Amino acid sequence: MDFTYCVFMPHCDLRIAMWHLLFISACVEVVRDTVYSPKNMVRYAKEPENPTKSCKTRGSYLRVHFKNTRETAHAIRGMHVRRATRYLKDVMEKKQIIPFRRFNGGVGRKAQVKNHNWTQGRWPKKSARFLLDLLKNGESNAEVKGLEPNALVIDHIQVNAAPKMRRRTYRAHGRINRES
């Protein structure tokens, strides 16, 4: 996983849902009016609307599976930080499950995932541990900025795939194979 990015914002009940709707309609308008050139291509991270009332955290080139982490991040989007922390800890103990909605080829069906109105899911322990560390870092960043950590909501979370590491396998008779 190359890049994980979270934006935390204080909870504001209906305004967040309305803002998401406005953001989607604004994106549609921008796409219609934008002429694509190298300098205004797609941006991969969202800047917060009010930087003084939000904080960010990120991890780069983390040794964790991209697809599992993407599904885990998608499951905690929009949650309060405390609820997301509790949810990820429950995932690590197999009390709750992560629904696999996009990358679900070969993923088995589980009864626990019926709570999410889905049929396929897993308990990606390592991805949950990495995201827990990011949430903890985000809370620390919020405290440094003077924000209330209990009022934080995960407004934006993004996962990008990292480049593959080059590894070698040592074989018989002095040969070496490259694994990509």
Short mmCIF file of all heavy atoms in Angstrom, two decimals, residues 79-87 139 143 149-152:
data_model
loop_
_atom_site.label_atom_id
_atom_site.label_comp_id
_atom_site.label_asym_id
_atom_site.label_seq_id
_atom_site.Cartn_x
_atom_site.Cartn_y
_atom_site.Cartn_z
N MET A 79 -17.19 7.17 9.94
CA MET A 79 -17.38 6.83 11.36
C MET A 79 -16.68 7.85 12.26
O MET A 79 -15.72 8.50 11.84
CB MET A 79 -16.79 5.45 11.67
CG MET A 79 -17.55 4.29 11.15
SD MET A 79 -16.79 2.78 11.80
CE MET A 79 -17.75 1.56 10.97
N HIS A 80 -17.14 7.93 13.51
CA HIS A 80 -16.39 8.65 14.54
C HIS A 80 -15.10 7.87 14.80
O HIS A 80 -15.05 6.65 14.63
CB HIS A 80 -17.19 8.72 15.84
CG HIS A 80 -18.27 9.73 15.82
ND1 HIS A 80 -18.05 11.06 16.08
CD2 HIS A 80 -19.59 9.61 15.56
CE1 HIS A 80 -19.17 11.71 15.99
NE2 HIS A 80 -20.14 10.86 15.67
N VAL A 81 -14.06 8.55 15.23
CA VAL A 81 -12.77 7.89 15.45
C VAL A 81 -12.88 6.83 16.54
O VAL A 81 -12.33 5.74 16.42
CB VAL A 81 -11.69 8.94 15.78
CG1 VAL A 81 -10.40 8.27 16.16
CG2 VAL A 81 -11.47 9.84 14.59
N ARG A 82 -13.61 7.13 17.62
CA ARG A 82 -13.77 6.15 18.70
C ARG A 82 -14.50 4.91 18.22
O ARG A 82 -14.12 3.79 18.54
CB ARG A 82 -14.54 6.77 19.88
CG ARG A 82 -13.83 7.91 20.53
CD ARG A 82 -12.68 7.42 21.39
NE ARG A 82 -12.01 8.55 22.00
CZ ARG A 82 -10.72 8.65 22.11
NH1 ARG A 82 -9.93 7.70 21.69
NH2 ARG A 82 -10.18 9.71 22.67
N ARG A 83 -15.56 5.12 17.43
CA ARG A 83 -16.32 3.97 16.91
C ARG A 83 -15.47 3.16 15.93
O ARG A 83 -15.50 1.93 15.94
CB ARG A 83 -17.59 4.47 16.23
CG ARG A 83 -18.46 3.35 15.73
CD ARG A 83 -19.80 3.85 15.25
NE ARG A 83 -20.52 2.75 14.66
CZ ARG A 83 -21.08 2.79 13.47
NH1 ARG A 83 -21.02 3.90 12.75
NH2 ARG A 83 -21.71 1.75 12.99
N ALA A 84 -14.70 3.84 15.08
CA ALA A 84 -13.84 3.15 14.13
C ALA A 84 -12.76 2.34 14.85
O ALA A 84 -12.45 1.21 14.46
CB ALA A 84 -13.20 4.16 13.18
N THR A 85 -12.21 2.90 15.93
CA THR A 85 -11.21 2.18 16.72
C THR A 85 -11.81 0.92 17.33
O THR A 85 -11.21 -0.16 17.26
CB THR A 85 -10.65 3.10 17.82
OG1 THR A 85 -10.12 4.28 17.21
CG2 THR A 85 -9.56 2.42 18.61
N ARG A 86 -13.00 1.06 17.90
CA ARG A 86 -13.68 -0.10 18.50
C ARG A 86 -13.99 -1.15 17.43
O ARG A 86 -13.81 -2.35 17.64
CB ARG A 86 -14.96 0.37 19.18
CG ARG A 86 -15.56 -0.64 20.11
CD ARG A 86 -16.74 -0.09 20.91
NE ARG A 86 -16.86 1.36 20.92
CZ ARG A 86 -17.87 2.03 20.37
NH1 ARG A 86 -18.86 1.41 19.79
NH2 ARG A 86 -17.90 3.35 20.43
N TYR A 87 -14.43 -0.69 16.25
CA TYR A 87 -14.78 -1.59 15.16
C TYR A 87 -13.55 -2.36 14.68
O TYR A 87 -13.61 -3.58 14.49
CB TYR A 87 -15.39 -0.77 14.02
CG TYR A 87 -15.74 -1.54 12.78
CD1 TYR A 87 -16.73 -2.52 12.80
CD2 TYR A 87 -15.09 -1.30 11.57
CE1 TYR A 87 -17.06 -3.22 11.65
CE2 TYR A 87 -15.41 -1.99 10.43
CZ TYR A 87 -16.40 -2.94 10.47
OH TYR A 87 -16.72 -3.64 9.34
N GLU A 139 -5.41 11.14 16.00
CA GLU A 139 -5.85 11.70 17.28
C GLU A 139 -4.75 12.56 17.90
O GLU A 139 -5.03 13.64 18.45
CB GLU A 139 -6.24 10.58 18.24
CG GLU A 139 -7.53 9.90 17.90
CD GLU A 139 -7.86 8.80 18.89
OE1 GLU A 139 -7.34 8.83 20.02
OE2 GLU A 139 -8.64 7.92 18.53
N GLU A 143 -4.88 16.59 18.83
CA GLU A 143 -4.56 17.18 20.14
C GLU A 143 -3.54 18.29 19.99
O GLU A 143 -3.63 19.32 20.67
CB GLU A 143 -4.05 16.10 21.08
CG GLU A 143 -5.13 15.15 21.56
CD GLU A 143 -4.57 14.04 22.44
OE1 GLU A 143 -3.39 14.12 22.82
OE2 GLU A 143 -5.34 13.11 22.71
N PRO A 149 -10.37 15.24 20.44
CA PRO A 149 -10.24 13.93 19.77
C PRO A 149 -11.53 13.10 19.76
O PRO A 149 -11.73 12.30 18.88
CB PRO A 149 -9.15 13.22 20.58
CG PRO A 149 -8.47 14.27 21.36
CD PRO A 149 -9.46 15.38 21.55
N ASN A 150 -12.40 13.32 20.76
CA ASN A 150 -13.64 12.54 20.81
C ASN A 150 -14.66 12.98 19.77
O ASN A 150 -15.59 12.25 19.47
CB ASN A 150 -14.27 12.62 22.21
CG ASN A 150 -13.40 11.95 23.24
OD1 ASN A 150 -12.69 10.99 22.94
ND2 ASN A 150 -13.42 12.48 24.44
N ALA A 151 -14.51 14.18 19.23
CA ALA A 151 -15.48 14.71 18.28
C ALA A 151 -15.03 14.53 16.83
O ALA A 151 -15.64 15.09 15.93
CB ALA A 151 -15.72 16.19 18.56
N LEU A 152 -13.98 13.75 16.59
CA LEU A 152 -13.46 13.60 15.24
C LEU A 152 -14.24 12.56 14.44
O LEU A 152 -14.63 11.52 14.96
CB LEU A 152 -11.99 13.19 15.28
CG LEU A 152 -11.04 14.21 15.88
CD1 LEU A 152 -9.64 13.64 15.92
CD2 LEU A 152 -11.05 15.49 15.08
#
